[in-house]
Amino acid sequence: MLRKFFMKRFRTFAIIMFIPLLLLFIIMGFMNIYSQQEELKKQGVNTLKSINDNIVYVVYSTIHQQDVMMGSAQYKLALQKLLRHDRLEFKDVVFMNAIENFIRSSESSYPYINSVYLYIDGRNNFLTSSSDQLASVDNYYDKDWFNHYKSIPKEDKQFVETRWLKRHSYEEPKKVITIYQRMTYAKGVIVVNVNAKDFGMMIENMLYHSGQNFYYLNKKGDTLFASNPGSASDAAIENGFFTNSIKEYESKGRFSKNQEWVKLGGKYFLIYIEPASYYETYFVSMISFDVFADRLLDFLKLAFAILLINFLIVMALAWITTKTAFKHITYLVDVFSAAERGEIIEKPLLIVKDEYNLIMNNILFLFIKNNQMQTNLMEKQHQNEITEIMALQLQINPHFIFNTLQTMDLEVLKEKGGQSTLHTMIQELSRIIKYALTNPTEPVTLREELDYLKAYLQIQEIRFNHILITYFEIDDEILEHKVFRLMLQPMVENSVNHGMKSTDQHCYIKIKGFIRNDVINIAVIDNGCGMTKEEIAELYIKINDPSSKNIGLTNLNRRLLLHYGDTSKLHIRSKKNLGTGIYFKIPIQNAEVK
C-alpha cells in the first residue's frame, strides 16, 4: 500500500515539476543555440576586422605612404640619382636620408615586417631597409623578388605571394609574405616582405579561441598565410572552396556561403570571408563546429544536472509526504481499533481534512501572534525611549542655577545696584531656561544649540571672573543640521567644573565642528588638569552604565546612543596636567533627529 501511494505521488509531482522544466529547457536550448551561433558569427567578423585594422593596415599604410612620397619630384629625383650613382647635392642628401629613415623605421617599429625594397625600373640597384648600401639585383641574397616582379603582368598594380628567404647558408629559410605595389608617380615598385612566423604570432593573439582558424588569400585563392594549416585548409584547397568563393565574389559581389556552416574534410566549419581593405586579397575566418558543440555540451550538462537534482527532489518529496500521510492514517486506524475493543481513548489529536491545511493554519496563527507581539514590543520600546529622552532633557543641573543666582547676588553687592553685569546674567539665564524647557523633544539646529551654549558660557565667564576663554571652530555647512537640545552643554560643563586647575589661571575651551567622510564630528577640548588612564577608564564605566542615575556626560552618551546608535558614543582623550578632549560623531544621513 505504501509503495502504491508513493508511486502515485511521485508521478503526480513529476508531471507537475518535470513538464514545465522540460519546456523551459527546450526554449532555453533553442535560445542558447541561436545566441551561441550569433556569437560565433560576431567573433568571426570582429576577428577579421581587428586583423585588418591592427596588422594589415600597418603593412599597407607603409606602402601607401612611400608611394605618396614618390609624388614629390625632388624626392623621386633624389632616389633616381642615388640608384644611378649620380653626384648628390645637399638637398638630395636630405631627401635620401628621409627615404632611408622611413623604410628602416617601418622594419624597426613592426617586428613582423622583414624588409622594405624600393626599385626604379631599368636600374640594376635597389634600396633596401636591411642594408646601409645599395643592393644589386644580381648579387643580393634575395634575387627571387626581382624575377617575380618582372613576371607580373603590367596591368596588375598589386600582387601578393609567399616566398622563402635565406640570407646565410647556416640559417633556416624564413617564410615571408611578399607584397608588390607598383609606384603611382614613377615606374617602379615598392616591395614589403612580412615575416610569416611573426605575423602568425600576432594573428594567434587576436583569435578568440583555439578552434578558430585564419587564412590570408590572394586574388587567385592561393593561401598566403594559414594560422593553423591542417585538414580544414587542405580540404578547402582540394575542393577549390577558396578559389570558387573568390570567383563568386568577383562575379556576383558577394559570398553565398558567408556566415554558414560548410562541410570540409568531413567536418563542419562556420565560414566568414571578407575582402581586405587594401588591394586584392581576402581574409577568411573558419570556426570549427567542435567549438559550438563544446558550448552546447556545457549547457546540456547543466540541464542534465538540474534534471537529476529535480528527480531526487521529487522522489524525496513524494516519500516524505507519503510517510507523513500514512502516519496520520495509522494513528486514526489505531484509535478506531481501540474504540472497537472498548479501550479508553485519550483526547484525539487535532486532525483536519488536509495535513497541509493544519501546517498552514498553525503557521498563520503563529505569524499573526508573533507580529502582534513584536508590534506591541516595538511600541512599548518607542514609548520608553521617548519618555527617557524627555526625562533626560528635563534634568537641568540645580547646582548650576544655584551658583548662577549666588553669583548674581554677589555681583549686585559689588556693583551697589549697577545693572550692566547683572542685567546680562539675568538675560542669559532667561534664555537658557527658555531654551531648555520649551518643548524638549523638538529638534533644533546646531546654530540654535551654539547660541544657547554661548549664553551659558557668558554666564560662566562672569562667574569665574573672565578667566574662561572659549574658541569656536564650526564649519558653516553643518549649522543648519538638526540635533537634540542640550547636546554640547554637558561636555563644556565638564571642562569648566572638572578641568580648571585653579581660579587664577586662564582656562581655554575649544568647540570644534566639521564634516569628514559624510560624518559630522563634534569635539570639546580644554587645557585643564586632565586625567590619568585609570581615571579615563573609570569615567568610561560611568558613562556607559545604563543603570547610572548621574546626569552630565552619562546622560549625553545615553541620548547619543538612543538617537544615532553605537557609532555616535562618546570618546575621551586626556593627559594629566595637559587637558582633555571629548568627541562624538553623527552620520550625515542621521544628522537630523526626529
Side-chain angles (χ1 to χ4, degrees):
M1 182 67 70
L2 179 63
R3 180 179 178 183
K4 179 180 178 181
F5 278 94
F6 167 73
M7 294 302 298
K8 183 177 180 180
R9 286 177 182 262
F10 177 79
R11 286 194 298 269
T12 302
F13 292 160
I15 292 173
I16 294 174
M17 298 184 69
F18 274 101
I19 291 179
L21 195 61
L22 286 174
L23 291 175
L24 178 63
F25 278 136
I26 291 172
I27 295 173
M28 290 181 62
F30 280 111
M31 293 177 61
N32 183 268
I33 291 172
Y34 176 79
S35 63
Q36 293 294 343
Q37 184 164 286
E38 290 301 312
E39 183 180 350
L40 292 178
K41 290 180 180 180
K42 186 177 180 181
Q43 288 179 3
V45 174
N46 292 340
T47 298
L48 298 190
K49 185 178 183 304
S50 178
I51 292 173
N52 182 78
D53 292 344
N54 293 289
I55 297 182
V56 179
Y57 173 80
V58 174
V59 176
Y60 287 108
S61 64
T62 301
I63 296 175
H64 177 71
Q65 292 175 20
Q66 186 61 48
D67 190 34
V68 170
M69 292 175 67
M70 289 300 295
S72 168
Q74 186 62 50
Y75 188 94
K76 180 168 60 176
L77 182 61
L79 179 60
Q80 290 175 342
K81 285 183 178 182
L82 177 66
L83 296 179
R84 291 197 306 263
H85 297 284
D86 290 350
R87 181 177 180 181
L88 299 179
E89 299 178 2
F90 175 74
K91 58 183 178 180
D92 296 328
V93 175
V94 173
F95 276 101
M96 288 313 306
N97 288 335
I99 296 173
E100 292 175 352
N101 290 334
F102 177 79
I103 63 175
R104 287 174 185 158
S105 65
S106 299
E107 180 181 347
S108 59
S109 300
Y110 306 103
Y112 48 87
I113 294 182
N114 182 272
S115 56
V116 180
Y117 303 159
L118 295 180
Y119 174 73
I120 301 296
D121 289 352
R123 303 289 184 267
N124 291 325
N125 300 321
F126 65 94
L127 192 63
T128 174
S129 62
S130 301
S131 176
D132 295 333
Q133 300 177 353
L134 291 177
S136 171
V137 296
D138 297 323
N139 300 325
Y140 194 61
Y141 76 93
D142 181 13
K143 304 182 183 67
D144 291 340
W145 75 269
F146 184 68
N147 297 328
H148 293 179
Y149 167 61
K150 290 190 297 183
S151 64
I152 299 173
K154 295 189 179 296
E155 61 272 14
D156 291 348
K157 294 198 63 176
Q158 306 92 20
F159 184 74
V160 183
E161 66 174 354
T162 55
R163 302 186 300 119
W164 291 91
L165 290 182
K166 185 175 182 180
R167 185 163 190 171
H168 303 287
S169 59
Y170 54 84
E171 289 182 343
E172 291 292 332
K174 294 181 181 178
K175 186 178 181 180
V176 295
I177 303 171
T178 302
I179 303 166
Y180 302 86
Q181 168 67 41
R182 293 188 186 274
M183 296 180 182
T184 304
Y185 304 101
K187 292 183 177 181
V189 67
I190 303 169
V191 181
V192 176
N193 294 310
V194 177
N195 190 311
K197 181 179 179 181
D198 294 336
F199 182 75
M201 293 175 63
M202 297 290 291
I203 295 296
E204 287 291 339
N205 293 332
M206 302 177 74
L207 298 180
Y208 280 86
H209 40 68
S210 59
Q212 183 178 21
N213 300 324
F214 168 77
Y215 302 96
Y216 186 34
L217 311 177
N218 63 15
K219 63 181 181 180
K220 296 181 181 180
D222 298 332
T223 303
L224 301 174
F225 172 80
S227 64
N228 187 21
S231 59
S233 60
D234 294 341
I237 295 172
E238 289 175 5
N239 297 332
F241 178 77
F242 291 156
T243 303
N244 294 334
S245 297
I246 293 175
K247 287 181 179 179
E248 180 185 35
Y249 180 79
E250 294 291 337
S251 61
K252 298 181 180 180
R254 63 182 180 85
F255 298 103
S256 61
K257 297 296 184 181
N258 242 10
Q259 298 290 41
E260 293 184 5
W261 293 100
V262 178
K263 188 175 182 180
L264 298 172
K267 292 185 178 181
Y268 283 91
F269 296 88
L270 184 63
I271 305 293
Y272 181 69
I273 306 177
E274 178 72 17
S277 299
Y278 305 92
Y279 312 111
E280 299 174 353
T281 53
Y282 299 86
F283 298 148
V284 180
S285 169
M286 297 178 63
I287 300 178
S288 173
F289 184 80
D290 294 340
V291 176
F292 179 74
D294 289 342
R295 296 186 178 185
L296 188 60
L297 183 61
D298 292 338
F299 172 77
L300 294 176
K301 289 179 179 178
L302 176 63
F304 178 77
I306 294 176
L307 287 173
L308 179 60
I309 294 173
N310 189 70
F311 175 83
L312 296 176
I313 292 174
V314 168
M315 182 176 289
L317 186 60
W319 176 256
I320 292 172
T321 54
T322 303
K323 286 285 291 184
T324 304
F326 263 81
K327 181 178 179 181
H328 289 285
I329 293 173
T330 303
Y331 172 76
L332 291 176
V333 170
D334 292 342
V335 170
F336 291 146
S337 298
E340 290 179 355
R341 292 193 299 268
E343 298 177 1
I344 298 176
I345 303 174
E346 298 180 358
K347 184 178 179 180
L349 299 176
L350 179 60
I351 299 177
V352 294
K353 183 177 180 180
D354 190 276
E355 63 270 26
Y356 302 109
N357 288 339
L358 176 62
I359 296 172
M360 292 305 298
N361 288 338
N362 287 337
I363 292 175
L364 184 61
F365 172 78
L366 292 174
F367 174 79
I368 295 174
K369 193 70 175 177
N370 184 60
N371 191 51
Q372 291 177 345
M373 293 175 63
Q374 288 185 355
T375 302
N376 294 336
L377 180 61
M378 292 175 63
E379 182 66 24
K380 185 176 180 181
Q381 183 178 359
H382 178 70
Q383 292 297 331
N384 289 339
E385 290 177 358
I386 293 296
T387 302
E388 186 171 1
I389 290 174
M390 293 180 65
L392 291 173
Q393 289 185 302
L394 290 173
Q395 292 182 22
I396 305 300
N397 191 338
H399 296 288
F400 168 70
I401 297 176
F402 174 80
N403 291 335
T404 301
L405 293 175
Q406 186 180 49
T407 304
M408 290 170 60
D409 183 55
L410 294 174
E411 192 67 19
V412 169
L413 294 175
K414 184 176 71 174
E415 296 292 334
K416 296 181 180 181
Q419 298 299 317
S420 60
T421 303
L422 179 59
H423 175 73
T424 300
M425 296 181 70
I426 292 173
Q427 290 294 323
E428 299 301 340
L429 181 58
S430 299
R431 288 175 58 191
I432 291 173
I433 294 175
K434 181 180 179 181
Y435 178 82
L437 299 180
T438 302
N439 196 0
T441 61
E442 181 182 358
V444 297
T445 64
L446 189 59
R447 186 190 301 277
E448 294 174 311
E449 177 70 7
L450 289 170
D451 289 341
Y452 153 76
L453 185 63
K454 290 175 182 177
Y456 168 81
L457 286 169
Q458 190 168 359
I459 293 176
Q460 294 288 35
E461 288 176 7
I462 296 173
R463 177 186 169 196
F464 290 102
N465 197 23
H466 300 286
I467 67 170
L468 181 64
I469 301 174
T470 309
Y471 299 92
F472 289 87
E473 293 183 6
I474 308 295
D475 289 351
D476 293 339
E477 57 185 319
I478 68 172
L479 290 176
E480 300 306 321
H481 284 287
K482 294 294 184 69
V483 297
F484 57 78
R485 294 174 185 266
L486 305 180
M487 174 184 282
L488 302 177
Q489 182 257 338
M491 294 194 296
V492 175
E493 184 178 18
N494 184 77
S495 296
V496 173
N497 293 339
H498 302 290
M500 295 183 63
K501 298 179 180 178
S502 65
T503 56
D504 57 351
Q505 293 182 356
H506 285 88
C507 177
Y508 297 93
I509 299 176
K510 179 185 290 186
I511 295 94
K512 297 180 64 175
F514 58 92
I515 288 182
R516 181 178 298 165
N517 297 329
D518 292 332
V519 174
I520 297 177
N521 296 263
I522 302 294
V524 175
I525 306 169
D526 64 63
N527 67 333
C529 57
M531 293 180 286
T532 63
K533 292 182 179 179
E534 291 76 13
E535 291 172 334
I536 294 174
E538 292 178 1
L539 182 57
Y540 268 125
I541 294 174
K542 179 179 178 181
I543 66 175
N544 288 294
D545 184 3
S547 62
S548 174
K549 302 300 181 182
N550 294 309
I551 58 176
L553 295 182
T554 303
N555 279 346
L556 174 60
N557 188 62
R558 190 182 306 169
R559 295 171 71 195
L560 289 170
L561 294 175
L562 286 174
H563 281 292
Y564 308 118
D566 291 340
T567 58
S568 298
K569 62 184 178 181
L570 290 178
H571 294 274
I572 303 170
R573 295 180 181 177
S574 183
K575 195 166 185 178
K576 196 66 175 177
N577 299 322
L578 291 180
T580 301
I582 303 177
Y583 312 82
F584 65 86
K585 299 179 179 179
I586 302 176
I588 194 69
Q589 63 269 23
N590 298 328
E592 296 191 3
V593 298
K594 297 181 180 179

